[in-house]
Amino acid sequence: MTAPARRGVGDEIPRLRTRVHGWGGGDRAPVTLARAPAADHLQALVADLQGKPSAGAVARGMGRSYGDAAQLTGGLVLDTTQLKRLELDPVGGTVTAQAGVTIGELLTVVVPAGWMVPVVPGTQHVSVGGAIAADIHGKNHGSAGTFGTHVEALGLLTSAGELLELDSARDRERFFATVGGMGLTGVIVWARIRLHNVRGALLSVDTDRVADLDGALAALEAPGGEYRVAWLDLLGGRPGRGVVTRARHVDLPAGAQTARGRATVGARARVPPRWPAGLLRPATVRAHNELRFRLAPRRERGRLEGIGRHMFPLDVLDAWPRLYGRRGLVQYQLAVPTGEEHVLRSVLGELRRSRVPCYLAVLKDFGATNDAPLSFPLRGWTLALDMPRHATGLGGLLDRFDELVAAVGGRVYLAKDSRLRPATLAAMYPRLGEWRRVRDELDSDGLWRSDLGVRTGLIPWRSR
Ligand SMILES: Cc1cc2nc3c(=O)[nH]c(=O)nc-3n(C[C@H](O)[C@H](O)[C@H](O)COP(=O)(O)OP(=O)(O)OC[C@H]3O[C@@H](n4cnc5c(N)ncnc54)[C@H](O)[C@@H]3O)c2cc1C
């Protein structure tokens, strides 16, 4: 389906010269930011760019990718956060949402109607557009796959100014190049998402304390709920000890749902803008981790907890990356196939021997990969590590991790990345050529670019 652009309305969008950065902080990129109030404004704006010289453009959602995926130095950043229309089909179990609707906003509408967003990330503040562009995964990847797996169709605004309707079955190539395509095939304007049937917002949570990485791997594989995650303490005397939770939806009648059963969570505090970096130190985090480990039950079964509290624990503290100070943090998220668990041991060992402190480490299991060439998950394990960007030796350490990961057919998550180089990217994503061919067809004009795309060589650098 193509729709004509409304002439002139694109000019009504104010353009702001500003600086933006990823969720991990760090250097701010100078950009021109245009916040489209509605989809037809966005379409008209892109149509107006036709044939004119420009430094390129990229879509931006909630800015929750950690690195430089949603920015383009010197270019146009199309802010999609005002595209907020959504329509629930409560009988068919689908929701059609515009790109700027967040996962939290979806949950607020669909859960009371008896439906669940089938894949949610670790924060509710992610837009539908960003969720598809990064093909996000949740704690239930083993059973549910990625977010893109549940998208039936999406509206893609191309560099030619056309709004295409891409059906997941009929337009497989263009659809799956867009799912996980990091905004480089065009702007996702809307999506129709299949929902999962639930009764209420309560989860039943099983918890186990584990002594080390092997304990965590075993607990993640044990029978139990589909939402599985391990928090690991990498600063304590026993590195790799942690807490594993496995949660499932409970089928309680409406009357039995309690106030705890909320689908989202509110921020209880906000980190002020000029938080001194020195307050977050290995000693303070070590003490916090000790407390967190000891307060967790050794073994607990069936505790009832709301979706919001369980899924989005970090959202209770607004602007938490400020804890890391002005330079921010790097999150390194790797995936390695089943059978290559030795890489996880090597990574944790090398991290421990280095002087780089890791303040948060999260391990999850992954199920099968999907049809999207740039989708991150592959059957095996994923480990996410948060480290201060200014830590001495961080760059060399992560280069070494890249080698270990690539050598076993693993990869690094582009939505978290701020440092991957072209050769490493090509080694980690073997279907890159296939993706590039479809992308080039969709964007023959070469409009869509991002700092991530240029840095990693996802797209060739060329001036228009
Ligand atoms: C606390 C926290 C926890 C997280 N947990 C998880 C997790 O469990 N699993 C997971 O997979 N990810 C997780 N993430 C990462 C996050 O889900 C992704 O980075 C997601 O892409 C962010 O969405 P956004 O709306 O903020 O997009 P942005 O960060 O603004 O953009 C991300 C990418 O999407 C593109 N994009 C955004 N909107 C559009 C659009 N309308 N059309 C086309 N392209 C678009 C951008 O160009 C960019 O390439 C987490 C992030 C945080 C901060």
Side-chain angles (χ1 to χ4, degrees):
M1 182 186 84
T2 61
R6 259 174 60 202
R7 294 181 71 85
V9 290
D11 298 335
E12 295 165 17
I13 305 177
R15 288 158 172 79
L16 178 70
R17 283 191 185 269
T18 182
R19 289 173 180 267
V20 295
H21 60 65
W23 188 243
D27 294 338
R28 290 167 177 266
V31 301
T32 302
L33 189 81
R35 181 168 295 153
D40 58 351
H41 287 72
L42 188 64
Q43 192 178 355
L45 187 151
V46 172
D48 284 351
L49 295 175
Q50 279 276 293
K52 294 182 189 154
S54 93
V58 69
R60 183 176 177 95
M62 295 292 285
R64 255 51 180 197
S65 46
Y66 280 72
D68 52 2
Q71 65 195 48
L72 176 63
T73 301
L76 183 63
V77 170
L78 301 171
D79 181 323
T80 55
T81 56
Q82 305 294 301
L83 307 184
K84 287 290 190 195
R85 279 178 36 202
L86 87 95
E87 199 178 319
L88 172 67
D89 172 359
V91 179
T94 59
V95 66
T96 303
Q98 285 193 325
V101 175
T102 66
I103 298 292
E105 288 161 349
L106 281 182
L107 289 172
T108 307
V109 171
V110 307
V111 174
W115 298 100
M116 175 67 189
V117 179
V119 172
V120 300
T123 171
Q124 63 202 345
H125 304 299
V126 158
S127 70
V128 164
I132 296 170
D135 196 21
I136 63 165
H137 55 272
K139 298 174 177 62
N140 59 346
H141 186 268
S143 58
T146 62
F147 193 87
T149 316
H150 304 274
V151 176
E152 291 183 346
L154 59 85
L156 183 74
L157 179 56
T158 68
S159 53
E162 287 177 333
L163 184 57
L164 304 179
E165 177 171 342
L166 301 182
D167 182 278
S168 64
R170 286 194 300 275
D171 304 286
R172 291 187 70 76
E173 277 203 332
R174 294 186 294 180
F175 180 90
F176 284 108
T178 299
V179 169
M182 300 307 291
L184 298 170
T185 60
V187 184
I188 298 154
V189 175
W190 60 267
R192 190 170 70 247
I193 304 149
R194 246 184 341 269
L195 301 167
H196 171 70
N197 196 218
V198 290
R199 278 176 81 179
L202 279 176
L203 298 171
S204 166
V205 184
D206 296 347
T207 304
D208 290 279
R209 271 203 234 161
V210 294
D212 52 24
L213 175 68
D214 287 333
L217 294 171
L220 286 171
E221 281 183 318
E226 66 269 29
Y227 297 104
R228 298 152 174 266
V229 64
W231 163 76
L232 304 180
D233 172 16
L234 300 188
L235 293 175
R238 301 192 62 174
R241 70 175 179 177
V243 179
V244 176
T245 55
R246 297 185 301 268
R248 63 164 70 84
H249 292 279
V250 282
D251 195 5
L252 291 180
Q257 299 284 343
T258 66
R260 279 180 296 168
R262 287 192 51 211
T264 56
V265 69
R268 294 209 207 108
R270 182 180 179 81
V271 183
R274 289 195 216 303
W275 181 268
L279 291 181
L280 195 68
R281 289 198 299 262
T284 35
V285 181
R286 192 174 294 123
H288 167 268
N289 285 359
E290 182 69 31
L291 203 63
R292 179 169 179 181
F293 185 76
R294 285 183 184 280
L295 288 178
R298 208 174 282 276
R299 182 180 188 278
E300 186 184 50
R301 295 291 177 267
R303 183 169 42 88
L304 294 181
E305 198 168 39
I307 291 171
R309 258 200 81 177
H310 188 76
M311 301 291 197
F312 316 123
L314 287 170
D315 288 347
V316 298
L317 189 57
D318 201 15
W320 60 262
R322 289 179 184 159
L323 292 173
Y324 285 79
R326 201 175 46 83
R327 300 280 302 280
L329 76 147
V330 167
Q331 185 178 105
Y332 184 83
Q333 184 170 357
L334 63 88
V336 289
T338 311
E340 308 291 358
E341 293 77 12
H342 61 98
V343 173
L344 302 174
R345 286 184 202 103
S346 301
V347 163
L348 295 191
E350 294 206 17
L351 187 59
R352 183 145 181 91
R353 285 189 292 279
S354 78
R355 296 182 55 210
V356 175
C358 176
Y359 292 146
L360 183 63
V362 174
L363 178 71
K364 288 186 271 206
D365 61 314
F366 270 166
T369 194
N370 67 13
D371 285 341
L374 294 188
S375 185
F376 168 64
L378 45 78
R379 190 179 290 287
W381 305 99
T382 181
L383 177 66
L385 306 167
D386 285 13
M387 295 150 292
R389 191 182 298 272
H390 63 78
T392 312
L394 180 63
L397 185 71
L398 298 186
D399 287 349
R400 168 83 187 121
F401 291 175
D402 285 348
E403 281 171 24
L404 292 170
V405 169
V408 299
R411 53 181 64 141
V412 163
Y413 191 12
L414 296 177
K416 310 285 179 75
D417 180 57
S418 52
R419 39 161 298 284
L420 217 53
R421 287 189 282 267
T424 330
L425 174 94
M428 291 178 171
Y429 288 89
R431 295 177 63 199
L432 183 58
E434 198 182 317
W435 176 81
R436 275 198 187 123
R437 180 182 56 76
V438 183
R439 191 212 96 87
D440 288 352
E441 282 168 18
L442 271 167
D443 184 21
S444 54
D445 214 18
L447 176 66
W448 307 118
R449 292 190 205 136
S450 64
D451 286 347
L452 170 110
V454 173
R455 172 174 56 77
T456 59
L458 271 172
I459 49 159
W461 173 250
R462 61 180 179 215
S463 54
R464 291 178 85 220

